[in-house]
Amino acid sequence: MNKFPGSALIMITVFCSAAALCPAAAPEQKGREYKPPSSCEPYIRVAVLRNVDSIGLKVNGEFHIYDAATGRRLLQEKNARWTVTSGQKGISAGGHLFSAGGIIIRSRDRNEIYLNGRRFRGEMRLIGKNGSLLAVNYVGLEDYIKGIFIRESSHYWPPEVLKAEAIVFRSFALYRAAENSSRDYDVTCDVYSQVYGGMTAERYRTNKMVKDTEGMVLVYDGRIFPAYYHSACGGRTEDAAKLWNINLPPLKGVACGYCGESPHSRWSRTLSNKEVSSKLHAESSVGVPQITVITPGSRDASGRMEELTFSFEDGGTRTISAKEFRQLLGPDVIKSTDFEARLSGAGIIFEGAGWGHGVGLCQWGAYFMAKQGASYAQILSHYYPGTQIAELGSFKSGDSKAAGGRR
Ligand SMILES: [Zn+2]
């Protein structure tokens, strides 16, 4: 008996003609345009280092360096171990001076580039920016997902939740890439995008789940779906419109019902009165007034606090949105906006539920759904009602918001 009724999904499997003609291996890469291993695969531009003075670069085997602006080949080298720096005259590496506009480092084996000890697939672009360096990894979508998996989840989790997450990560990456297509890079490698560790962070099991769901994405209304996710919702997922300018029926919030046993279902944190007050007074910790009263404001439909008001001993008050307050104190300190705060002799005690912004897939809820026998399609249907799973081939052209925008 299916214990997850109503979760049937329509599977769109329309392959584009180009997909059917994909060569097994891409031809030798030339020029400035990046081509992933499979020529029908989208790619992601990940800023792996920003505003750094120098970079330790190691490349095993044969590699080429191209001018990032013109695509002209500048050098052919082997087995380099260089320190790369950027200055007024350009980028210095291995006794060579290149234009600050940037260079492309292309390893013959596509997976033999190391930056500061971390190994990357794809190719690397180094760009000089006001005397510092920006390193952008151009990597095929599937390899990118392999490189974020264990940083965003756990390779010990059940297969069905990992498959669901692979589809979520892929969709979210493409959504971000479409948003940032006019910038130097699509995503950063930190929590503001998805945490990316390159090839160094890959594991056998998560790589297999990426392979098992290859090219599968979530769509809504014919477009790549912004598949937001978070660690644990604490009971009910949040309406995306409460946090960002995103008003989509699948992101309106659902009763989770599965994450109650997660290690993050409840949290508490005690902070000193002075610490909280100084954050509320533009970081100045000298002579900040004591907080005397905390007044909770309204809560939204998911139960999360919308705003709260602090009163101080000097008669001042400050009303702040719970979202801003969480950012101010740190999202890992105030783990969610579903909390209560009270003054005590020890300081201010915060007690709350869940971890993260609460929008979209609740990862711990998905974990417990999989433990109870749910499939990846049932998990996705539960947290993103109304979305469909599709193959990337169905989004080949005509929609700049979809994967075809940079195929
Ligand atoms: Zn949940």
Side-chain angles (χ1 to χ4, degrees):
M1 185 181 132
N2 188 347
K3 65 181 292 191
F4 300 100
S7 54
L9 288 182
I10 301 164
M11 192 78 162
I12 304 171
T13 49
V14 184
F15 286 93
C16 67
S17 56
L21 296 172
C22 273
E28 189 193 342
Q29 176 85 60
K30 290 176 182 165
R32 67 186 299 272
E33 189 61 25
Y34 176 64
K35 294 187 181 68
S38 162
S39 60
C40 352
E41 184 184 350
Y43 62 87
I44 303 290
R45 302 170 304 152
V46 195
V48 291
L49 292 169
R50 287 184 293 167
N51 300 319
V52 293
D53 293 335
S54 72
I55 295 172
L57 169 73
K58 186 176 101 169
V59 192
N60 290 341
E62 189 180 320
F63 68 99
H64 295 155
I65 292 184
Y66 292 79
D67 185 302
T70 64
R72 192 165 63 89
R73 192 156 94 184
L74 305 173
L75 268 185
Q76 179 173 347
E77 283 278 1
K78 249 184 171 177
N79 301 328
R81 194 184 278 263
W82 294 345
T83 297
V84 184
T85 56
S86 174
Q88 291 288 326
K89 291 180 179 171
I91 297 171
S92 302
H96 307 282
L97 183 65
F98 303 105
S99 154
I103 52 173
I104 302 170
I105 300 161
R106 209 165 265 161
S107 141
R108 191 181 165 90
D109 291 335
R110 287 178 175 265
N111 57 10
E112 294 292 350
I113 300 176
Y114 295 74
L115 247 56
N116 291 350
R118 273 191 293 159
R119 186 179 185 183
F120 294 95
R121 295 182 186 269
E123 69 181 33
M124 201 60 73
R125 302 205 177 193
L126 304 180
I127 301 159
K129 291 258 178 194
N130 305 320
S132 67
L133 285 162
L134 167 69
V136 183
N137 184 199
Y138 280 49
V139 60
L141 176 63
E142 300 301 318
D143 288 340
Y144 170 71
I145 303 303
K146 290 174 190 168
I148 64 167
F149 223 123
I150 63 158
R151 302 292 169 87
E152 295 288 334
S153 181
S154 165
H155 56 300
Y156 299 112
W157 279 17
E160 292 303 307
V161 64
L162 296 182
K163 284 183 209 168
E165 286 179 328
I167 296 167
V168 166
F169 299 158
R170 199 177 280 118
S171 311
F172 191 74
L174 289 175
Y175 165 70
R176 278 278 192 257
E179 270 193 331
N180 295 324
S181 57
S182 60
R183 298 185 179 173
D184 285 338
Y185 50 85
D186 299 323
V187 293
T188 55
C189 60
D190 53 25
V191 291
Y192 295 101
S193 298
Q194 300 185 97
V195 183
Y196 174 65
M199 197 174 174
T200 305
E202 292 181 17
R203 297 293 180 274
Y204 170 79
R205 215 162 158 263
T206 44
N207 279 10
K208 183 175 184 308
M209 296 306 149
V210 175
K211 184 73 185 161
D212 287 353
T213 60
E214 188 175 346
M216 289 165 73
V217 291
L218 275 179
V219 296
Y220 180 73
D221 200 18
R223 289 178 163 224
I224 288 289
F225 177 69
Y228 281 90
Y229 60 95
H230 58 279
S231 180
C233 74
R236 187 176 173 85
T237 63
E238 176 65 299
D239 179 353
K242 293 285 178 190
L243 295 173
W244 312 295
N245 187 25
I246 297 175
N247 198 3
L248 286 172
L251 290 179
K252 285 289 161 199
V254 298
C256 173
Y258 293 99
C259 66
E261 300 295 313
S262 97
H264 308 298
S265 64
R266 302 288 312 170
W267 58 268
S268 74
R269 186 79 182 238
T270 302
L271 299 172
S272 75
N273 194 309
K274 187 177 178 183
E275 183 179 356
V276 178
S277 183
S278 66
K279 294 280 188 188
L280 291 166
H281 287 85
E283 304 287 338
S284 156
S285 60
V286 183
V288 294
Q290 285 265 317
I291 295 164
T292 50
V293 180
I294 304 170
T295 311
S298 57
R299 289 182 180 267
D300 67 19
S302 78
R304 288 173 177 79
M305 196 184 287
E306 292 186 301
E307 61 178 31
L308 63 169
T309 300
F310 293 87
S311 303
F312 304 96
E313 61 181 348
D314 63 0
T317 62
R318 178 161 179 199
T319 297
I320 184 170
S321 78
K323 176 189 168 187
E324 190 185 346
F325 180 71
R326 181 169 175 243
Q327 291 304 318
L328 198 61
L329 272 291
D332 294 338
V333 175
I334 303 298
K335 289 189 166 184
S336 68
T337 54
D338 184 3
F339 67 83
E340 290 172 357
R342 60 190 160 87
L343 289 159
S344 85
I348 302 172
I349 300 171
F350 296 89
E351 289 179 322
W355 191 1
H357 52 61
V359 175
L361 180 109
C362 165
Q363 289 180 288
W364 274 100
Y367 167 85
F368 284 105
M369 275 189 84
K371 281 278 201 189
Q372 293 176 34
S375 69
Y376 68 88
Q378 289 168 326
I379 292 168
L380 296 172
S381 168
H382 178 62
Y383 290 104
Y384 305 113
T387 58
Q388 294 175 316
I389 299 170
E391 300 276 353
L392 270 178
S394 6
F395 295 89
K396 183 166 176 282
S397 62
D399 185 354
S400 63
K401 280 290 184 192
R406 197 153 23 73
R407 186 170 288 271

